[in-house]
Amino acid sequence: MYEQASHAMLNEILIQLKPEIGNFRLRHFYTRLGANFYSIHSLFRLLYGERADFKEQMVSLVETLALRYMERSPSLRKSDLARERDYDWFMSQKWVGMALYCDRFAGNLQGLKAKLPYLQDLGINMLHVMPMLDCPPDHADGGYAVRDFCKIDPRYGTVEDVEELAATLKKREMLLVLDVVVNHTSNEHEWAQKARAGEKKFQDYYFTFDDREIPDAFEQALPEIFPSTAPGNFTWDEAMGKWVMTVFNQYQWDLNYRNPAVLIEMMDIILFWANKGADILRLDAVAFLWKKIGGTCQNEREAHLLLQLMKDCCQVTAPGVLFIAEAIVAPGEIAKYFGEDAINAKECEIAYNATLMSLLWDAVATKNAKLLNLGIRNLPLKLERATWLNYVRCHDDIGLGFDDSDARLAGYDPVQHRRFLLDFFTGKFPDSPARGLPFGDNPRTGDARISGSLASLVGLEAAMASGDEAAIDAAINTILLLHCTLLSFGGIPLLYYGDAIGTLNNLEYLADPYQRDDNRWMNRSYFDWTKAEKRHVKGSVEQRIFSGLKKMIALRKETPAFADFDNRQLFAVDNPNLLLFSRSNPHNSRNIVLVACNFNNAPQSFSVSALKQFGLFRQDSMMDLCTGLLLTAENEMVVLPALSCCWLSD
Ligand code: GLC
Ligand code: GLC
């Protein structure tokens, strides 16, 4: 849209830019700036228009975009142009991701390069390398308490190693995902140090207060993220003689985005990593970006405006780079991080599907798909050119973030049901084989989340300890069932590094004084390469999981119906243990795959009569793509084995 005021301002800014910018070849930059400037200007004005230095800040933002564009390498610029042409590239079924810690998986960045064949053997072509930036060794929060945003922790390597990894991945047609921790810094970051030394400029980068008046006002409505280890949301800093806002750990200082300088610094950092070759940036804790007294300081409208602004700016300098929103919030709120308006308000192209994740865990515990069906039916619609990141485990705890009204519709009391799930996964419920631990227990609110590795949570640890073969089978089948659902649901599946070989809980963290109070570490093991070798031993647990996943991943990539173009149809089935949905090929609507999942530990059947009108089971049988076996209806009924998932096709 052409708008006079913003256009006039753009002209003014272009004249004011540093001479070295003016002299540079910037054709594509100017075209993109022109196309996005109306939106950038409107958003910047909404957020910062009241300030006396508004124009100065606007110039500084555009300058940042231009300087980072000048630095962008020819090959990355080429990839930007290619991705602008093929703008739906990431919606394809061909992408399959994995998240891993470079040190825990392969020692360091060079080691990681050497281990790429293992990942490729499994079929992984999108690699989320967990944060590797310089953090204080004692207070690092697993890499999320950053001391220097542009320096790699020397134990892992250097920035050059990251660039080299990015180039190697590109040659192998793999994508690199890196984190940008946008919400907070370590208290040892240079900005925090300067704030502590009394520099007003940097105190304004954070939320600092002389007394408890404003902190107390905030606290009335603020929840606690880590109630047991970091209660409250403000920390007294002795050196500064002030309170500072610390929503996560006490050593993680929340950045103040009411200050445009903070946004500009962060944009500069985002583009720095875009220029180092990241294809996708995972923006951490985005729900928390804007703080307002009287609210929970999550999902505020301004947090969305900031993300829209960041996206528009990235579009100008590095349009090939995508954003992942890490917003682990209520189902109705998550989809808003895609942006709510297709034209003016793009935010992140990809978002963690925390809703599906928690619903899948519900199905594991209840052994039925009642809540899962309801939750999927009510999953908010997404924009075009937006996709989910589907996962079952990650490095964090599992929050039971499904919708209370869905829980009621499924016939549960939400509070009691969450209590049951917590008891189930922490092994307190009678006969539960799960071996998790409660995380973030808050006696005041009764809330708690769950820690533990996938294999231990689905009962593999208990089954192996007792040598119960049937229970081992059930655990392996559950792992495969969960992944089978993720791989066909629509979106990018994101596996977690130990899960393909059945990694159990690891208790080494208890010996580390800085980790022992945070049981999320039990699911952040050092990858056991000796165990991984067993994937070649026929009949071993590792081989059964690894080869099952490998086969499904390969099949997913060959199945165009699994690309994510809002081509999923959920079927209501009379059997509450089952989840049934179809996926249709966006280029050939007659090419349909029926995904049928049984979460129960006994075989279950469903009627095909109603499905026939959708072109399914017309010949009374369909083939399971995974096994090649025919599934035939007898008296209109089809039987699915216990804890299984089939991809059925004509
Ligand atoms: C994100 C990370 C989590 C971290 C938190 C604070 O939620 O995934 O590991 O503790 O942010 O940075
Ligand atoms: C925040 C994050 C969530 C994470 C938790 C830390 O709530 O949004 O991802 O699980 O912090 O464990």
Side-chain angles (χ1 to χ4, degrees):
M1 172 177 171
Y2 182 84
E3 198 253 353
Q4 276 76 4
S6 78
H7 196 78
M9 180 155 198
L10 178 57
N11 286 337
E12 236 180 274
I13 288 178
L14 295 180
I15 293 164
Q16 284 181 39
L17 289 184
K18 295 184 178 145
E20 68 263 32
I21 299 179
N23 297 336
F24 208 77
R25 283 184 46 230
L26 295 172
R27 184 165 62 93
H28 290 300
F29 175 80
Y30 286 132
T31 315
R32 290 176 188 139
L33 182 63
N36 286 284
F37 193 73
Y38 169 67
S39 168
I40 293 177
H41 175 248
S42 311
L43 290 163
F44 205 75
R45 198 175 47 192
L46 267 172
L47 289 162
Y48 308 116
E50 304 290 300
R51 295 175 58 106
D53 63 350
F54 170 71
K55 199 181 276 179
E56 222 175 289
Q57 297 287 356
M58 188 81 249
V59 175
S60 154
L61 176 64
V62 174
E63 225 150 49
T64 302
L65 303 184
L67 290 170
R68 288 292 179 209
Y69 180 79
M70 286 159 58
E71 175 195 88
R72 196 152 171 82
S73 75
S75 70
L76 292 175
R77 289 188 192 188
K78 215 167 117 193
S79 129
D80 287 336
L81 288 170
R83 287 179 181 171
E84 278 178 324
R85 274 191 302 273
D86 181 20
Y87 50 82
D88 278 341
W89 63 274
F90 60 96
M91 316 282 286
S92 154
Q93 74 283 0
K94 86 172 194 195
W95 302 114
V96 179
M98 180 180 277
L100 53 80
Y101 290 92
C102 90
D103 58 327
R104 294 181 169 245
F105 183 72
N108 55 28
L109 277 160
Q110 287 300 333
L112 179 53
K113 250 174 61 186
K115 296 296 188 191
L116 293 180
Y118 166 85
L119 298 173
Q120 284 191 293
D121 180 31
L122 184 58
I124 301 301
N125 52 14
M126 178 182 129
L127 200 56
H128 172 206
V129 188
M130 298 290 295
M132 304 172 267
L133 297 180
D134 177 51
C135 293
D138 46 354
H139 290 136
D141 190 25
Y144 288 99
V146 178
R147 185 162 58 184
D148 186 337
F149 284 107
C150 298
K151 181 176 166 207
I152 298 291
D153 183 327
R155 289 173 300 175
Y156 311 150
T158 60
V159 173
E160 289 69 41
D161 291 325
V162 176
E163 285 180 286
E164 213 180 294
L165 176 69
T168 309
L169 291 175
K170 197 139 286 180
K171 280 191 209 121
R172 292 174 181 245
E173 292 185 55
M174 297 171 82
L175 303 172
L176 177 62
V177 184
L178 295 177
D179 279 83
V180 182
V181 186
V182 285
N183 180 67
H184 43 257
T185 74
S186 155
N187 58 349
E188 293 186 24
H189 188 282
E190 188 192 342
W191 303 333
Q193 296 295 17
K194 289 185 173 163
R196 293 170 112 177
E199 281 190 50
K200 172 84 175 65
K201 173 178 169 196
F202 290 98
Q203 290 180 353
D204 285 347
Y205 273 39
Y206 302 96
F207 297 92
T208 54
F209 307 97
D210 293 331
D211 56 41
R212 284 293 307 184
E213 193 181 334
I214 298 177
D216 285 341
F218 265 112
E219 286 291 11
Q220 297 199 347
L222 269 178
E224 292 169 306
I225 305 298
F226 299 134
S228 27
T229 50
N233 290 280
F234 296 85
T235 303
W236 174 254
D237 187 81
E238 202 54 61
M240 191 163 58
K242 284 178 192 286
W243 292 93
V244 59
M245 187 176 223
T246 55
V247 168
F248 289 87
N249 286 298
Q250 273 136 4
Y251 52 84
Q252 287 167 308
W253 288 19
D254 286 73
L255 285 165
N256 175 12
Y257 280 90
R258 287 172 191 262
N259 178 352
V262 169
L263 171 84
I264 296 168
E265 297 265 21
M266 201 44 81
M267 209 49 236
D268 195 41
I269 293 162
I270 288 176
L271 296 173
F272 174 84
W273 288 107
N275 282 353
K276 297 300 168 208
D279 298 282
I280 305 180
L281 295 170
R282 173 194 183 275
L283 306 185
D284 183 63
V286 287
F288 295 83
L289 288 183
W290 196 265
K291 321 296 203 262
K292 213 177 257 175
I293 293 178
T296 60
C297 295
Q298 291 184 47
N299 310 315
E300 292 290 351
R301 173 164 179 264
E302 289 84 351
H304 289 286
L305 299 180
L306 281 167
L307 288 166
Q308 289 160 25
L309 188 52
M310 288 177 178
K311 182 77 259 183
D312 281 334
C313 289
C314 186
Q315 214 60 41
V316 172
T317 299
V321 172
L322 308 181
F323 288 168
I324 297 177
E326 193 252 351
I328 313 302
V329 292
E333 294 293 337
I334 299 182
K336 295 184 185 164
Y337 289 89
F338 292 128
E340 286 188 90
D341 171 328
I343 296 156
N344 286 324
K346 292 300 289 195
E347 293 183 23
C348 300
E349 290 86 352
I350 306 172
Y352 275 78
N353 197 346
T355 314
L356 180 66
M357 185 274 298
S358 71
L359 293 166
L360 286 171
W361 285 107
D362 179 83
V364 169
T366 59
K367 303 195 175 50
N368 71 58
K370 276 196 277 183
L371 188 54
L372 179 60
N373 272 287
L374 286 160
I376 293 178
R377 172 151 308 125
N378 294 336
L379 205 61
L381 289 180
K382 7 179 220 74
L383 291 182
E384 280 178 27
R385 216 180 154 266
T387 197
W388 294 113
L389 197 65
N390 293 318
Y391 66 111
V392 60
R393 275 315 276 119
C394 71
H395 68 290
D396 277 333
D397 45 293
I398 298 170
L400 302 170
F402 44 76
D403 202 81
D404 281 2
S405 53
D406 288 342
R408 281 189 209 98
L409 280 176
Y412 307 128
D413 171 86
V415 173
Q416 277 173 24
H417 191 60
R418 286 201 175 83
R419 182 49 51 189
F420 154 72
L421 292 171
L422 189 68
D423 287 347
F424 183 88
F425 287 114
T426 53
K428 279 199 213 137
F429 191 77
D431 296 332
S432 163
R435 292 283 176 273
L437 286 177
F439 177 81
D441 230 330
N442 191 336
R444 226 165 27 83
T445 57
D447 288 341
R449 310 186 305 260
I450 298 153
S451 283
S453 81
L454 169 64
S456 294
L457 290 173
V458 300
L460 188 60
E461 187 175 328
M464 289 180 38
S466 66
D468 178 342
E469 287 299 328
I472 294 178
D473 289 352
I476 293 175
N477 289 338
T478 306
I479 293 174
L480 295 175
L481 160 64
L482 291 167
H483 283 92
C484 199
T485 316
L486 294 183
L487 286 159
S488 55
F489 185 77
I492 304 174
L494 182 74
L495 281 68
Y496 188 63
Y497 66 109
D499 292 346
I501 55 166
T503 301
L504 305 178
N505 288 340
N506 184 316
L507 299 181
E508 276 171 31
Y509 77 99
L510 290 172
D512 181 325
Y514 300 112
Q515 295 179 353
R516 70 166 167 240
D517 294 328
D518 185 344
N519 61 29
R520 289 179 296 171
W521 284 98
M522 68 186 191
N523 188 34
R524 300 173 181 176
S525 309
Y526 282 93
F527 189 77
D528 182 344
W529 286 97
T530 316
K531 183 172 163 64
E533 273 310 300
K534 296 200 195 126
R535 73 190 186 278
H536 302 299
V537 180
K538 202 154 172 29
S540 66
V541 167
E542 293 78 7
Q543 184 266 335
R544 290 168 66 192
I545 302 175
F546 189 92
S547 64
L549 290 178
K550 177 173 166 170
K551 189 163 179 189
M552 291 190 286
I553 290 172
L555 260 171
R556 164 184 159 95
K557 292 183 180 174
E558 286 167 16
T559 308
F562 290 162
D564 188 21
F565 289 96
D566 286 325
N567 45 339
R568 178 181 51 243
Q569 183 178 3
L570 186 67
F571 297 112
V573 265
D574 38 16
N575 185 333
N577 300 300
L578 307 179
L579 170 72
L580 243 67
F581 58 87
S582 68
R583 303 296 318 279
S584 51
N585 181 343
H587 308 294
N588 172 4
S589 58
R590 295 213 339 254
N591 176 206
I592 300 176
V593 178
L594 176 67
V595 178
C597 314
N598 175 10
F599 287 88
N600 196 258
N601 47 5
Q604 297 290 330
S605 57
F606 62 95
S607 157
V608 299
S609 321
L611 297 178
K612 289 188 171 169
Q613 57 176 305
F614 300 102
L616 301 162
F617 279 100
R618 261 200 296 237
Q619 315 300 329
D620 279 323
S621 69
M622 289 181 85
M623 191 186 69
D624 179 6
L625 295 172
C626 299
T627 57
L629 298 175
L630 272 189
L631 218 67
T632 307
E634 275 181 39
N635 300 325
E636 299 281 284
M637 296 300 281
V638 162
V639 180
L640 285 178
L643 299 170
S644 71
C645 173
C646 305
W647 291 342
L648 300 165
S649 163
D650 274 333

